[in-house]
Amino acid sequence: MKKILLVFALFTIVFAESQNGFFSGFGVGVGYMRYQEPGVMKTNQALLDFNGEVGYRYDFLKTKAEADYLSTFGFYSGGILDLSGGLETHVKDNGLEVGNTFASDRIFDGRLQLGIDILAFHSNMDLFLQSGIGYWLLEDIFTAYKRTQTYLYVPIELEGEIRSSPSLAWTYLVSYKHFVQGRNRTLTKASAILDTDMFFKQDKGFGFKASFGWKEQGNNINTFTRFVVDYWNIDSSPEVPVISTLGVRGVTTEPKNYTLSIYIQHGWRF
């Protein structure tokens, strides 16, 4: 039994050494994003994605930092803030008037992770079980007030590849995003919509991410292509007090919301 374990360990190290060292990559993507607060509003937007990663692999261990920056543009429909008459909301789903306007967002999604290859003994496969910490930020651009959403989360992932030839490998990722906390800032005071800024806490929700694609290795360049699906489901916040410019007091919440992004990404590995 000891001999078998020794042979297994040596084989693992010999195989892993061929993968050792620093790695990095850069990619660009295009696709679609939908953000929705049921019964309140929704957006349908095209997206442009920029992806970058840098990391280090030693034997069957890997650490990496990865980030996506998304710029989106499209259309908004739902509740509208009518500045001419104070604060007024029109929601089509509730049988009232609906407003339509242009929408654009900026999204940053950064992750720092450590993983272990649970298939390090296999010469044609990798399967990393990895986790760490993630930070997600969404900022509305075309609004009369500054609005940002931030999520802190723990990604729990399986990321792997299957090498079908020396120059081609199929890649995949399945990730559950354990939601830790969410914060929303709606700064309406400076735009004279409300007499108070609003700060919301959203501490219940979840997310997931999945991708499938391939890597190609040539004489002078290594490329990758993958299809990506990214999803968030966040519960509503507790109520917070607000005061309108007309002196009307009340309470409001940040509603339950969904974010879905689907895109194709192509890039280069170094």
Side-chain angles (χ1 to χ4, degrees), residues 67-185:
D68 285 277
Y69 175 82
L70 290 81
S71 179
T72 71
F73 52 93
F75 295 98
Y76 169 106
S77 62
I80 293 293
L81 290 173
D82 185 355
L83 304 182
S84 62
L87 181 62
E88 184 179 358
T89 302
H90 307 280
V91 184
K92 184 176 182 180
D93 293 342
N94 291 341
L96 303 176
E97 184 182 354
V98 64
N100 295 279
T101 186
F102 184 75
S104 183
D105 297 312
R106 288 192 292 252
I107 298 174
F108 172 82
D109 186 8
R111 301 158 308 274
L112 180 62
Q113 299 188 85
L114 177 67
I116 180 171
D117 187 3
I118 59 179
L119 290 182
F121 60 88
H122 201 294
S123 60
N124 293 319
M125 294 184 186
D126 286 332
L127 180 58
F128 279 91
L129 175 61
Q130 57 197 29
S131 185
I133 193 72
Y135 178 79
W136 190 88
L137 165 70
L138 181 147
E139 181 180 11
D140 289 340
I141 299 176
F142 285 91
T143 57
Y145 48 88
K146 185 176 179 62
R147 180 177 180 273
T148 60
Q149 289 182 224
T150 60
Y151 302 155
L152 184 68
Y153 67 97
V154 175
I156 303 171
E157 300 183 349
L158 288 173
E159 182 180 34
E161 65 178 58
I162 302 171
R163 290 176 284 278
S164 59
S165 73
S167 61
L168 179 66
W170 301 98
T171 63
Y172 58 93
L173 169 76
V174 178
S175 174
Y176 172 77
K177 297 186 286 189
H178 176 71
F179 191 67
V180 177
Q181 67 176 25
R183 297 292 183 265
N184 180 289
R185 296 189 308 159

Side-chain angles (χ1 to χ4, degrees), residues 217-234:
Q217 181 174 346
N219 294 329
N220 301 315
I221 190 169
N222 299 328
T223 64
F224 67 85
T225 303
R226 57 192 173 212
F227 298 91
V228 182
V229 177
D230 198 355
Y231 176 77
W232 283 108
N233 183 323
I234 308 300

Side-chain angles (χ1 to χ4, degrees), residues 7-23 56-62 115-128 161 163:
V7 171
F8 171 80
L10 290 174
F11 178 78
T12 299
I13 293 173
V14 169
F15 169 69
E17 283 181 345
S18 66
Q19 305 287 335
N20 283 351
F22 288 97
F23 61 89
Y56 183 80
R57 176 170 178 171
Y58 181 76
D59 291 347
F60 53 87
L61 297 176
K62 179 178 70 173
I116 180 171
D117 187 3
I118 59 179
L119 290 182
F121 60 88
H122 201 294
S123 60
N124 293 319
M125 294 184 186
D126 286 332
L127 180 58
F128 279 91
E161 65 178 58
R163 290 176 284 278

